[in-house]
Amino acid sequence: MSFTVNTLRNVTTACQQMRDHIKTIVFRPDAHKTLDITFGPTVAAELIGRTPEALAKAEAKGRLPQPKQLPNGRRFYTLEDLTQIREALGIHVGKQPDEDAVVLAVQNFKGGVGKSTITKHLADYLALHGYRVLVIDCDPQASTTTMFDIQPETLIDDDQTLGAFLSPRSTFSNFAETIRDTPWPTIKIVPSSLGLQDAEWDLTSTLREGGQAVRESLQALRIGIASVTKDFDVILLDPPPAMGFLGLNVMAAATGLLIPVPARQLDYLSTIHFMDTIADNIEILEQNGTPVNYGFIRVVCSTFSPSKPGENDMWRIMQATYAGLLLGQPILASEEIKNATQAFRSIYESKPSASHQTYTRCRDNLDAVFGEVEQQIRQQWSSTSLTGTDAGVSVAA
Ligand SMILES: Nc1ncnc2c1ncn2[C@@H]1O[C@H](COP(=O)(O)OP(=O)(O)O)[C@@H](O)[C@H]1O
Ligand SMILES: [Mg+2]
């Protein structure tokens, strides 16, 4: 064995040992995340789109159960309470039963631009606001899966995975069976699995047959999603890092694109290439009998540090270049987000890691950005598209 190969093999062995060790620490079977999220009356009222006074009045009149109380007498609500309150008051924020879910791909071929961070935080934001969400992790790196407390390693021996569903070699064809629960009552996930990489090979190998086989390989995810699209309001896709057949599947299945671009020179330049590649790939899909028509495409500045002069320039350049496509608010670079994601959580699930003020600023910023995305999503359903933010909420009681 050559010195180089030997060295690489040694590193691999060391990495595997370290991975196994980390797994025993981080992924203890008893270390499952339990959601410990509660809200005071003001936040609860805001999340259901009512005033705190209206909430208190409905409770006093017995239309709503009395809220839980801390020993100090402060009232609080859980996620389940919010769902029950919406039901009791006839508040329905999502689509109508006959409408389809909005399938939003958080798409960019570069790694480290914030795709998984945005997917996780947007899922949590939408769930907090009353939407039913399905997250599909198409990235073999599985960071989003891990943030929803599923260890991809546990799926190795499981046939009911996304990889098995997509692979033309497999006989497994019930997409709904790939869907798992998460700690969030209204978020489900199709986890990434180690077999996704194999699925990519299997899908690509249909190129030899051409024609119908290729078309089926490009539409596999779209067909799977079609079987569950009435059951969710929003389906979020975290795509693979490179554009192959998996990536094309994501593009074919999506009905809207959210493109994260950090306010860094290099990422901005690579995005120009990315836009071209997107257009090329849409043409490939069209040529193979799989036309796509996105309801919306939006660019979101995914990390912005206003104190860095270079980034201010970049933000202005992005505003000029992307014009109508760019979300009005950038996502600020924040230690809160970094710390939360390192602990496999979103900031919606975690307590302030520094000052309460920093945490609130970070959360308000994300709420503002995702509020814009929420508007785009609502525009896609005819039941909510013409009526604006709150008028779209149908109230029966
Ligand atoms: N707004 C932000 N502020 C601070 N750190 C961020 C922010 N967005 C993402 N990050 C960090 O950047 C890294 C890469 O993000 P990630 O979402 O994994 O990118 P991708 O999925 O595109 O590879 C992660 O460590 C994440 O914590
Ligand atoms: Mg990622």
Side-chain angles (χ1 to χ4, degrees), residues 287-339:
Q287 285 154 13
N288 285 282
T290 311
V292 295
N293 189 13
Y294 299 128
F296 62 98
I297 299 178
R298 286 291 176 277
V299 175
V300 56
C301 177
S302 54
T303 47
F304 176 49
S305 305
S307 56
K308 292 186 185 164
E311 297 213 350
N312 264 308
D313 292 342
M314 274 317 299
W315 171 239
R316 274 192 290 273
I317 290 172
M318 286 171 77
Q319 284 174 314
T321 329
Y322 300 127
L325 292 189
L326 184 68
L327 293 185
Q329 298 274 333
I331 298 178
L332 299 174
S334 160
E335 285 299 310
E336 292 288 338
I337 295 182
K338 198 165 217 109
N339 293 338

Side-chain angles (χ1 to χ4, degrees), residues 113-245:
V113 294
K115 295 186 295 293
S116 300
T117 306
I118 289 176
T119 305
K120 166 64 179 160
H121 283 82
L122 181 56
D124 292 1
Y125 169 92
L126 290 168
L128 284 172
H129 287 81
Y131 298 92
R132 294 163 306 158
V133 182
L134 174 66
V135 174
I136 305 181
D137 189 355
C138 306
D139 184 352
Q141 282 185 355
S143 12
T144 304
T145 296
T146 315
M147 281 195 275
F148 280 107
D149 204 32
I150 292 179
Q151 312 155 31
E153 291 86 350
T154 62
L155 303 171
I156 296 173
D157 302 322
D158 197 332
D159 290 336
Q160 294 165 341
T161 59
L162 181 59
F165 175 82
L166 293 175
S167 169
R169 278 198 306 145
S170 146
T171 53
F172 170 61
S173 61
N174 189 346
F175 183 75
E177 287 177 4
T178 64
I179 298 175
R180 317 280 157 130
D181 288 333
T182 75
W184 287 71
T186 53
I187 304 179
K188 306 280 178 207
I189 189 166
V190 174
S192 164
S193 63
L194 298 181
L196 265 184
Q197 207 70 63
D198 296 337
E200 172 87 66
W201 287 109
D202 295 344
L203 290 166
T204 313
S205 68
T206 57
L207 277 174
R208 280 197 302 263
E209 298 165 59
Q212 179 67 11
V214 172
R215 189 155 44 246
E216 282 172 14
S217 271
L218 293 172
Q219 296 183 0
L221 183 60
R222 183 195 275 192
I223 290 166
I225 287 177
S227 69
V228 299
T229 190
K230 299 280 189 285
D231 305 338
F232 299 94
D233 296 308
V234 182
I235 300 179
L236 295 176
L237 308 179
D238 191 356
M243 187 47 88
F245 265 65

